[in-house]
Every structure is written in structure tokens, then in C-alpha cells.
Amino acid sequence: MAGANTLTFNQDNFEAEVLQSNVPVLVDFWATWCGPCHMLAPVIDDLATSFQGKAKIGKVDVDTAQELAAQYGISNIPTVLVFHKGEQVARIIGAKHKKEYEETLKAHLAG
């Protein structure tokens, strides 16, 4: 359930791909059984294409990466977290309009 530019994050690659990234990273915590997550998927894929080379966009399946979901206090999905320089800088709970995700990412591109 990921577009060509949408990355898949898991327990094995999260630290290297997200926390040690030199660009902002948007992480969509989702599950295959979650209807709103499926509605959000095309938005996430569009963001991955729009921000290619400027930010990383990826997904974490909460069913296969339960440790990560617990570590970041994910209790509702979809939940989108934005990380910059190893720190969580934004949390958006629920499926929102694409513009909200774009504005959140853009706010951290320059910094």
C-alpha cells in the first residue's frame, strides 16, 4: 500500500531512515484494516512525489511494528508524525486535507 516514492519504515530501519535523516521525515502510522488510513494513502503518496529530494515520506504498519507504535504513543490511526534532526516536531491525528501535511513539512524544510 505504498506509492513508488513512499518508503516503508519498520523497527529495523527507523533509526537510520528517520531519526538520523538529514532532511525532514513524515511518517504515517497506519494499518491494513483502517478505512481512514486507506483514504489517506493517496495523499501520502502524492506528498512523497511532491517532496522527493527535499523530505522523506513513509509509512509504519502498526500491526507489524507494534514497538514503534508504542514508543511514539500511537493510540489512534492514522497518525502522522514529522521528524526533523532526530526529534518529533509535529503530530497530526486522523486523516486531514493534503494542505495541512504540506504546510507542516514546509515549515521544517528551511530549518
Side-chain angles (χ1 to χ4, degrees), residues 6 9 19 22 27 30 32 34 39 41 44 53 65 67-69 72 82 87 92-93 102-103 106-107 109-110:
T6 306
F9 302 129
L19 300 180
N22 57 358
V27 182
W30 73 287
T32 56
C34 167
M39 291 171 35
I44 297 299
E67 307 87 11
L68 280 175
Y72 289 99
V82 177
E87 300 293 323
I92 303 169
I93 299 172
E102 287 174 331
E103 289 173 356
K106 285 178 183 174
L109 284 178

Side-chain angles (χ1 to χ4, degrees), residues 12-85:
D12 296 333
N13 70 3
F14 196 84
E15 184 169 345
E17 291 286 338
V18 178
L19 300 180
Q20 295 176 3
S21 176
N22 57 358
V23 295
V25 185
L26 181 145
V27 182
D28 173 23
F29 285 83
W30 73 287
T32 56
W33 47 264
C34 167
C37 298
H38 286 280
M39 291 171 35
L40 181 59
V43 171
I44 297 299
D45 292 340
D46 285 349
L47 291 170
T49 300
S50 300
F51 285 90
Q52 188 174 11
K54 297 180 231 160
K56 291 182 183 179
I57 311 294
K59 299 169 134 335
V60 171
D61 183 333
V62 298
D63 289 332
T64 59
Q66 294 176 359
E67 307 87 11
L68 280 175
Q71 181 179 344
Y72 289 99
I74 306 300
S75 56
N76 297 304
I77 54 173
T79 292
V80 171
L81 304 183
V82 177
F83 292 84
H84 191 220
K85 299 179 181 173

